[in-house]
Each structure stands twice: as C-alpha cells, then as structure tokens.
Amino acid sequence: MGRSRRSIPEELLLLALDPATGTTAQPQSLDLGLAGAQLVELAMAGRIAPDGDRIAVVVPRPTGDPTLDCALELLRRRGAPVRAVNWIGGPRLGLRQTYLSHLERCGMVHAVAGQMCGVLPTTRYQATDTEISREIRARLDTAIRTGVPPDPRTAALAALAHAVGLGKHLYPGNEGRSSRSRLRDLIRHDPMGGLVAHAVMDVQNGVAAQPRRSPAPAGRQAAPGARPAPEPARGVPMQPHRGSMARAVAH
C-alpha cells in the first residue's frame, strides 16, 4: 500500500504497534492521539480549519473514509467551532479497535488469538508488512537526525507521537534522550499538528478545559469575611474505557 493511502491515524497506530508482542504502546493516551490525528487528517483534506484554539468545519463534504467521515459529521452537528481540547477529551470508546480492525481489513496487520492468564481470550495484532512500519519510523528518524524541516504529514505525526508519549517507546533509555528532545521540537513545523498535540497533552494533564471566569462587575464586592467563590473546575475528565470479559483487545 502506498504512503498516500495511509492516514495519519493509521500511521500513528502502526508506529505504536510493537512488532514483537503485538501490543500497542501508551494505550490510554494513544486513544486521545488517534482522535487528534483524525482532526489533522481532516484539516489536510480541507474539511476543517483551526479557529484560534477551536476547530471549525469549512467543507462538510465526506472524504470517503468512513471513520474520518463519522468524526466530520459529529463536528458538523456541533453547529459551532469546538475547542480542540474538548473534542479530544470527549468519549472515544473503541477508536483504537476501530483502526486495528481497519488495518486488518487492509492487510497491514493480522489478528493473533491468545489467552490472558490462561482464561480470558485476547487478540494481538502483528504487522504483515514490517517494511511499512520501518518506512514510517525512517521518516521520523531522518527528520530528527538531519534537522531538515519535515513535510507536514511527518511533522504532524511527530507532534502526535510526542504528545502520546511514544518517544520513550521509539527512543528508549538515556541514549535516546536527545532523540526524544528533537522529536518534541518537531512539533513547531506543523501548526495544526501542534495545536492538536498540545490539546492531547492538555487533556492528559487536566489543563484548560474551561475558559477563565469573567471578573465581577465593578462596584460589586464580597461581603466582609465572605470566602471567594471557587474557580470553575479545570481539566477534561477522562472517559473510562470499558472492557469486555469475552474479548480483550490488545494494548
């Protein structure tokens, strides 16, 4: 399959897939990254555009990718630009499995049945063509090694890889410290990727879920001894991931 036919969510998932174990690194944050990667892909397709820290639908026409079009339709139904951090922090149950199943249908991975603790059925996913994963990794390595600004897709992929914590998976240990630092620096080469990556990190850190409260009108003062009103809660609550006792998805 040619590179032009792979979406950024697909590449992010392939990058996170461990070829030895068939599991994905950083499974919880990866779900957020996949939601963010959809936004980047839709932006590159000209369907959405950044509006400050918000995302606006500019062309609601479907892309032909069912998973992306589902996200596009949900954004369209909002009726107004949505903050990237709120969108990414919303419930995304099953998104990782959706993309794993898609990659399996495309022949890029195959499912391997197993058992957890000898009882619970599990499914792991092995890449069928490791050359694809090597090519994706090579693009990141080249950008890190040469310092040459990467193309927008590679820059966005690097930003998301950093945001979900794949740096320590791709470049482990003390010897990988400088590579992890340069991976982080690639975030500046794609504005949309940078916006989404920062939103992913904000969700994980519980930052900036709500705008600051407007100051009280002039002339209104609190009664003597009264305690100030509490600040509104900040951070987007993480949605629990529901498991299945009948089928455990690879992580």
Side-chain angles (χ1 to χ4, degrees), residues 144-166:
I144 288 172
R145 184 179 66 255
T146 65
V148 175
D151 63 273
R153 298 186 71 83
T154 301
L157 181 63
L160 288 161
H162 166 69
V164 303
L166 288 183

mmCIF file of all heavy atoms in Angstrom, residues 144-166:
data_model
loop_
_atom_site.group_PDB
_atom_site.id
_atom_site.type_symbol
_atom_site.label_atom_id
_atom_site.label_comp_id
_atom_site.label_asym_id
_atom_site.label_seq_id
_atom_site.Cartn_x
_atom_site.Cartn_y
_atom_site.Cartn_z
ATOM 1 N N ILE A 144 14.707 13.821 12.646
ATOM 2 C CA ILE A 144 15.438 14.016 13.902
ATOM 3 C C ILE A 144 16.936 14.141 13.644
ATOM 4 O O ILE A 144 17.620 15.005 14.207
ATOM 5 C CB ILE A 144 15.147 12.851 14.868
ATOM 6 C CG1 ILE A 144 13.714 12.973 15.412
ATOM 7 C CG2 ILE A 144 16.149 12.811 16.009
ATOM 8 C CD1 ILE A 144 13.279 11.778 16.223
ATOM 9 N N ARG A 145 17.447 13.297 12.759
ATOM 10 C CA ARG A 145 18.897 13.248 12.532
ATOM 11 C C ARG A 145 19.400 14.445 11.735
ATOM 12 O O ARG A 145 20.457 15.007 12.045
ATOM 13 C CB ARG A 145 19.250 11.949 11.804
ATOM 14 C CG ARG A 145 20.741 11.745 11.602
ATOM 15 C CD ARG A 145 21.037 10.439 10.899
ATOM 16 N NE ARG A 145 20.537 10.423 9.526
ATOM 17 C CZ ARG A 145 19.461 9.753 9.139
ATOM 18 N NH1 ARG A 145 18.768 9.029 10.014
ATOM 19 N NH2 ARG A 145 19.061 9.782 7.878
ATOM 20 N N THR A 146 18.663 14.839 10.716
ATOM 21 C CA THR A 146 19.148 15.881 9.817
ATOM 22 C C THR A 146 18.773 17.289 10.262
ATOM 23 O O THR A 146 19.456 18.256 9.903
ATOM 24 C CB THR A 146 18.605 15.661 8.399
ATOM 25 O OG1 THR A 146 17.177 15.818 8.415
ATOM 26 C CG2 THR A 146 18.953 14.262 7.898
ATOM 27 N N GLY A 147 17.688 17.417 10.987
ATOM 28 C CA GLY A 147 17.224 18.744 11.368
ATOM 29 C C GLY A 147 16.538 19.480 10.238
ATOM 30 O O GLY A 147 16.135 20.638 10.400
ATOM 31 N N VAL A 148 16.387 18.835 9.074
ATOM 32 C CA VAL A 148 15.693 19.451 7.942
ATOM 33 C C VAL A 148 14.195 19.440 8.227
ATOM 34 O O VAL A 148 13.653 18.404 8.637
ATOM 35 C CB VAL A 148 15.980 18.680 6.638
ATOM 36 C CG1 VAL A 148 15.165 19.242 5.483
ATOM 37 C CG2 VAL A 148 17.467 18.721 6.330
ATOM 38 N N PRO A 149 13.498 20.573 8.056
ATOM 39 C CA PRO A 149 12.054 20.592 8.321
ATOM 40 C C PRO A 149 11.336 19.493 7.545
ATOM 41 O O PRO A 149 11.486 19.388 6.324
ATOM 42 C CB PRO A 149 11.631 21.987 7.849
ATOM 43 C CG PRO A 149 12.855 22.822 8.005
ATOM 44 C CD PRO A 149 13.997 21.909 7.655
ATOM 45 N N PRO A 150 10.577 18.652 8.210
ATOM 46 C CA PRO A 150 9.890 17.559 7.520
ATOM 47 C C PRO A 150 8.652 18.059 6.784
ATOM 48 O O PRO A 150 8.208 19.190 6.968
ATOM 49 C CB PRO A 150 9.494 16.627 8.677
ATOM 50 C CG PRO A 150 9.313 17.551 9.840
ATOM 51 C CD PRO A 150 10.330 18.651 9.660
ATOM 52 N N ASP A 151 8.104 17.197 5.958
ATOM 53 C CA ASP A 151 6.842 17.527 5.289
ATOM 54 C C ASP A 151 5.738 17.593 6.339
ATOM 55 O O ASP A 151 5.888 17.069 7.452
ATOM 56 C CB ASP A 151 6.525 16.470 4.227
ATOM 57 C CG ASP A 151 6.305 15.091 4.841
ATOM 58 O OD1 ASP A 151 7.298 14.361 5.028
ATOM 59 O OD2 ASP A 151 5.149 14.772 5.170
ATOM 60 N N PRO A 152 4.610 18.263 6.022
ATOM 61 C CA PRO A 152 3.561 18.457 7.028
ATOM 62 C C PRO A 152 3.040 17.170 7.666
ATOM 63 O O PRO A 152 2.761 17.137 8.866
ATOM 64 C CB PRO A 152 2.457 19.173 6.241
ATOM 65 C CG PRO A 152 3.177 19.903 5.160
ATOM 66 C CD PRO A 152 4.311 18.994 4.764
ATOM 67 N N ARG A 153 2.915 16.105 6.887
ATOM 68 C CA ARG A 153 2.386 14.857 7.447
ATOM 69 C C ARG A 153 3.363 14.266 8.465
ATOM 70 O O ARG A 153 2.959 13.801 9.528
ATOM 71 C CB ARG A 153 2.098 13.847 6.324
ATOM 72 C CG ARG A 153 1.057 14.308 5.325
ATOM 73 C CD ARG A 153 0.723 13.214 4.331
ATOM 74 N NE ARG A 153 -0.028 12.144 4.971
ATOM 75 C CZ ARG A 153 -1.351 12.173 5.161
ATOM 76 N NH1 ARG A 153 -2.055 13.218 4.768
ATOM 77 N NH2 ARG A 153 -1.964 11.168 5.727
ATOM 78 N N THR A 154 4.635 14.285 8.132
ATOM 79 C CA THR A 154 5.630 13.757 9.067
ATOM 80 C C THR A 154 5.724 14.634 10.302
ATOM 81 O O THR A 154 5.856 14.138 11.424
ATOM 82 C CB THR A 154 7.004 13.647 8.381
ATOM 83 O OG1 THR A 154 6.894 12.774 7.243
ATOM 84 C CG2 THR A 154 8.049 13.085 9.334
ATOM 85 N N ALA A 155 5.631 15.954 10.113
ATOM 86 C CA ALA A 155 5.677 16.863 11.254
ATOM 87 C C ALA A 155 4.501 16.626 12.187
ATOM 88 O O ALA A 155 4.653 16.601 13.419
ATOM 89 C CB ALA A 155 5.683 18.314 10.767
ATOM 90 N N ALA A 156 3.306 16.455 11.610
ATOM 91 C CA ALA A 156 2.120 16.195 12.431
ATOM 92 C C ALA A 156 2.234 14.852 13.146
ATOM 93 O O ALA A 156 1.871 14.724 14.323
ATOM 94 C CB ALA A 156 0.872 16.229 11.557
ATOM 95 N N LEU A 157 2.741 13.843 12.452
ATOM 96 C CA LEU A 157 2.925 12.530 13.062
ATOM 97 C C LEU A 157 3.909 12.615 14.226
ATOM 98 O O LEU A 157 3.690 12.024 15.290
ATOM 99 C CB LEU A 157 3.421 11.534 12.016
ATOM 100 C CG LEU A 157 3.640 10.097 12.493
ATOM 101 C CD1 LEU A 157 2.337 9.472 12.960
ATOM 102 C CD2 LEU A 157 4.265 9.254 11.374
ATOM 103 N N ALA A 158 4.998 13.354 14.040
ATOM 104 C CA ALA A 158 5.980 13.527 15.114
ATOM 105 C C ALA A 158 5.360 14.230 16.311
ATOM 106 O O ALA A 158 5.592 13.847 17.468
ATOM 107 C CB ALA A 158 7.180 14.324 14.585
ATOM 108 N N ALA A 159 4.570 15.275 16.049
ATOM 109 C CA ALA A 159 3.922 16.011 17.137
ATOM 110 C C ALA A 159 3.006 15.105 17.939
ATOM 111 O O ALA A 159 3.000 15.127 19.181
ATOM 112 C CB ALA A 159 3.140 17.197 16.567
ATOM 113 N N LEU A 160 2.242 14.276 17.255
ATOM 114 C CA LEU A 160 1.318 13.374 17.940
ATOM 115 C C LEU A 160 2.068 12.256 18.669
ATOM 116 O O LEU A 160 1.677 11.857 19.771
ATOM 117 C CB LEU A 160 0.325 12.787 16.932
ATOM 118 C CG LEU A 160 -0.721 13.780 16.431
ATOM 119 C CD1 LEU A 160 -1.364 13.289 15.138
ATOM 120 C CD2 LEU A 160 -1.785 14.016 17.498
ATOM 121 N N ALA A 161 3.127 11.753 18.051
ATOM 122 C CA ALA A 161 3.929 10.716 18.711
ATOM 123 C C ALA A 161 4.494 11.236 20.024
ATOM 124 O O ALA A 161 4.496 10.542 21.043
ATOM 125 C CB ALA A 161 5.047 10.253 17.780
ATOM 126 N N HIS A 162 4.981 12.477 20.001
ATOM 127 C CA HIS A 162 5.476 13.080 21.238
ATOM 128 C C HIS A 162 4.343 13.267 22.238
ATOM 129 O O HIS A 162 4.495 12.954 23.434
ATOM 130 C CB HIS A 162 6.132 14.425 20.944
ATOM 131 C CG HIS A 162 6.367 15.249 22.171
ATOM 132 N ND1 HIS A 162 7.300 14.907 23.133
ATOM 133 C CD2 HIS A 162 5.752 16.388 22.621
ATOM 134 C CE1 HIS A 162 7.260 15.806 24.112
ATOM 135 N NE2 HIS A 162 6.338 16.700 23.825
ATOM 136 N N ALA A 163 3.192 13.752 21.772
ATOM 137 C CA ALA A 163 2.083 14.072 22.668
ATOM 138 C C ALA A 163 1.570 12.844 23.414
ATOM 139 O O ALA A 163 1.191 12.941 24.588
ATOM 140 C CB ALA A 163 0.947 14.721 21.885
ATOM 141 N N VAL A 164 1.558 11.695 22.766
ATOM 142 C CA VAL A 164 1.025 10.497 23.421
ATOM 143 C C VAL A 164 2.098 9.719 24.172
ATOM 144 O O VAL A 164 1.811 8.683 24.784
ATOM 145 C CB VAL A 164 0.310 9.574 22.417
ATOM 146 C CG1 VAL A 164 -0.811 10.315 21.701
ATOM 147 C CG2 VAL A 164 1.287 8.980 21.404
ATOM 148 N N GLY A 165 3.337 10.190 24.127
ATOM 149 C CA GLY A 165 4.396 9.537 24.890
ATOM 150 C C GLY A 165 5.117 8.419 24.178
ATOM 151 O O GLY A 165 5.747 7.568 24.832
ATOM 152 N N LEU A 166 5.059 8.395 22.844
ATOM 153 C CA LEU A 166 5.748 7.328 22.112
ATOM 154 C C LEU A 166 7.257 7.539 22.043
ATOM 155 O O LEU A 166 7.981 6.629 21.637
ATOM 156 C CB LEU A 166 5.198 7.208 20.685
ATOM 157 C CG LEU A 166 3.800 6.611 20.521
ATOM 158 C CD1 LEU A 166 3.452 6.497 19.049
ATOM 159 C CD2 LEU A 166 3.701 5.250 21.204
#
